[in-house]
Every structure is written in C-alpha cells, then in structure tokens.
Amino acid sequence: MDQAATSSSSSSSSSSPRRYTHEEYKETADWLLAHTEQRPKVAIICGSGLGSLADLLEDKTVFPYKDIPRFPTSTVPGHAGQLVFGKLQGRECVCMQGRFHFYEGYDIQTVTFPVRVFFLLGVETLIVTNAAGGLNDAYNEGDIMLIKDHINLPGFAGQNPLCGQNDERFGVRFPCMSDAYDRELRALARQTAEEQGCGGFLQEGVYCMVAGPSYETIAECRLLRTLGADTVGMSTVPEVLVARHCGLRVLGLSLITNMTVTDYDSNQKANHEEVLQTTRNRTQDLERFVSNLIAKI
Ligand SMILES: O=P(O)(O)O[C@@H]1C[C@H](O)[C@@H](CO)O1
C-alpha cells in the first residue's frame, strides 16, 4: 500500500486528525539543517506543472521527498517530489517541487506538514502557486491571478488543518484570516508585472478550494461564481492556513490553466492534460515573474 493510502486508512476521521508533535516537525527541520548549509527565508510551493520554478535555483541541494524523515510523497503527474534548496536572484530559497493534495488520500495535517517544517527552518515568506480553473468571465486561459482572498469549502465541512489541539509554539487558537494574502507583497507583484510588461494578464481575485479530484459540474461552477470565487482549485488553502497560523507572510499565485465550463451547450471538458499543457505554455513568463519578484522581497 502506498504512503497516501496508509495515511488515509489510519487517520481519515475528522474527529481524530493525524497530529504531528512539535518534536516531529523539529526532527525533520533539524535533519534538513544538518544536511544543507542554506538558511532560506523564502519558501515556494510549486503547483501542478509549475515545478520548473525550482530549476531556476543556483547552488542547488536536492532532497527527494522519500529521503526526508516523515515527508509524504507526491503521487500526481506534474509534481516531481523533491525539496530543492538554492539561490534565486541571490536570495536563499527552498522550493517544493511537488505538493500534497487532500484528494491523494492524505489527511489535511499531512498535506500541510512541510509548512511547519519551513517555519522551523527559519522561513519568513511563503510563495504558494497553483494551477486553477477560471470562473471569472473576464479572465483568460494563461492569465496569472494574484490571490487576494480564498474560500475554504473543505473547511466549511470540517477539513481545516488547524483543527485539533492547538500548539501555541506555532500560533494562536483562533488565527485571523482577513489578512491572509499579504497586501505589500501583492503590491510588489503588481509592480513587478508592470515592469515586466505582463500587467495585461495579471488578475487579482478570490481562489476557492474544492477537495477534488473530480472537476466541478456546471452547476457547481455557477454556484462558486455566485459565491464570489474567481478561480477554483484543489490545493493551497490548507498550506496558507498553516502558514498564517505560524506568522509567515504569504503570496499566492494561480495560473489559469483552463476556463471552467458554465454553459450546458459547451463541449469543453476539464482535464489534467490541458492543465499541464497550459503550464508548459506559460512557464517561462511565470518563472521570470517569480524570479523578478523574489529580487524585491
Ligand atoms: O497542485 P495544484 O493545485 O496546482 O494542482 C491542480 C489541482 C489538481 O491537483 C490538478 C487538477 O488538474 O491541478
């Protein structure tokens, strides 16, 4: 049985979520600190097909997830499954080339395990990226959306990684989320996009997380639009909740890899191949954008 399936079968009940102790997070962080001299202040989580961001790093040290104590493994095409330390624009960074999703069978605490490890490494800023479906009619496939807010649909149903006993060493019991996506970082991102000449395809809006793995029905897309969502995806929100809980600054970026289907006469069908193809088409612009942005952080 693979790790995701094992994890799911041993701890899928939301009333008894799988908890890691502070010591367990620290053991993983200490293992990494003992195996690299890099001390990154910025962490990047790469979304589906966006792992090439990590290829930009110089002076790289690469750790396959399977070699890192307690790290889960990635099971989705487009998620390589390694942690890459290195320098981008002279800044030390750590990059997750491959993330963990709830729909892979991981419980929500496992999905977010790396974020607390980053905190214990000394990371202060998290850049989280994803591939997402566009709901807003004004958006186009290939646009980049700065996330200014999110809707945590699985959270409405009890799937919040902060459920369970709170450890004050990470953060408070009831963290605020109205300022989850850092205003100053978003301003820097807009400035960077203008300077780079790609302001025309930079959007700013609300990301809605669904559990997946099935894509949304037409009625669901219409509902999400009514709720105020501009994009929909299957990740990011749990990582952001845990990052904000422990005080990391967060910048979130969605690449609109497909426009969602909201018309019953449409023959379009969402599919992961299209998602990956759009990321391939847009990867260079996104890489340049993140790289120029990191220089300003
Ligand atoms: O990891 P992200 O959120 O970028 O991946 C998206 C959501 C699903 O994992 C997949 C669907 O195509 O892409």
Side-chain angles (χ1 to χ4, degrees):
M1 197 187 285
D2 67 21
Q3 195 178 350
T6 310
S7 163
S8 162
S9 61
S10 62
S11 58
S12 60
S13 157
S14 62
S15 60
S16 57
R18 165 90 165 84
R19 297 302 301 174
Y20 296 97
T21 63
H22 191 276
E23 290 65 35
E24 285 173 321
Y25 291 110
K26 191 160 182 325
E27 271 170 30
T28 302
D30 287 347
W31 185 92
L32 289 165
L33 291 172
H35 286 78
T36 175
E37 289 179 354
Q38 310 231 23
R39 298 293 179 262
K41 294 276 182 251
V42 177
I44 305 172
I45 301 181
C46 301
S48 279
L50 299 171
S52 61
L53 281 173
D55 298 335
L56 298 178
L57 302 192
E58 291 169 350
D59 302 332
K60 282 198 277 268
T61 312
V62 178
F63 299 100
Y65 292 158
K66 65 177 174 43
D67 295 343
I68 308 174
R70 277 192 201 86
F71 240 68
T73 48
S74 301
T75 68
V76 185
H79 289 265
Q82 51 191 25
L83 198 60
V84 184
F85 288 75
K87 288 198 184 122
L88 188 55
Q89 302 275 2
R91 308 279 319 263
E92 290 190 341
C93 298
V94 56
C95 214
M96 275 180 76
Q97 216 171 17
R99 64 145 56 86
F100 313 113
H101 304 86
F102 183 65
Y103 66 74
E104 292 174 81
Y106 292 119
D107 60 81
I108 208 84
Q109 273 82 20
T110 303
V111 166
T112 54
F113 176 78
V115 178
R116 284 185 171 170
V117 172
F118 292 155
F119 169 67
L120 294 173
L121 290 179
V123 163
E124 293 169 354
T125 302
L126 178 69
I127 299 180
V128 63
T129 68
N130 61 58
L135 293 160
N136 186 323
D137 281 339
Y139 292 5
N140 293 301
E141 190 177 299
D143 284 354
I144 295 170
M145 186 188 84
L146 283 176
I147 305 178
K148 74 169 181 207
D149 202 349
H150 71 223
I151 298 172
N152 179 13
L153 270 194
F156 289 3
Q159 290 294 345
N160 184 316
L162 302 176
C163 283
Q165 200 177 3
N166 187 53
D167 188 331
E168 294 279 334
R169 287 170 289 185
F170 289 114
V172 297
R173 171 76 288 186
F174 300 109
C176 173
M177 285 297 148
S178 58
D179 58 352
Y181 299 88
D182 194 271
R183 199 178 295 174
E184 199 181 314
L185 291 177
R186 280 188 281 132
L188 274 183
R190 283 194 299 270
Q191 185 192 333
T192 306
E194 289 300 332
E195 286 167 4
Q196 199 178 304
C198 66
F201 54 79
L202 190 75
Q203 309 285 0
E204 191 158 0
V206 176
Y207 173 89
C208 179
M209 183 200 176
V210 295
S214 48
Y215 290 106
E216 301 68 43
T217 64
I218 291 171
E220 286 165 349
C221 289
R222 291 178 172 196
L223 171 75
L224 297 181
R225 278 206 310 207
T226 307
L227 292 179
D230 297 297
T231 57
V232 55
M234 305 176 193
S235 67
T236 301
V237 169
E239 295 148 352
V240 171
L241 293 172
V242 169
R244 291 301 298 146
H245 180 242
C246 61
L248 304 189
R249 297 169 81 198
V250 171
L251 178 80
L253 300 173
S254 286
L255 176 64
I256 316 301
T257 52
N258 55 290
M259 289 306 291
T260 56
V261 182
T262 50
D263 176 358
Y264 284 101
D265 292 329
S266 169
N267 291 321
Q268 273 186 293
K269 290 172 191 276
N271 65 90
H272 192 54
E273 196 32 58
E274 182 189 8
V275 168
L276 294 181
Q277 185 55 50
T278 308
T279 61
R280 283 191 283 273
N281 296 344
R282 300 293 287 123
T283 198
Q284 278 190 337
D285 283 323
L286 194 77
E287 282 173 10
R288 204 154 66 90
F289 177 59
V290 172
S291 175
N292 291 338
L293 179 61
I294 291 229
K296 295 185 199 291
I297 292 178

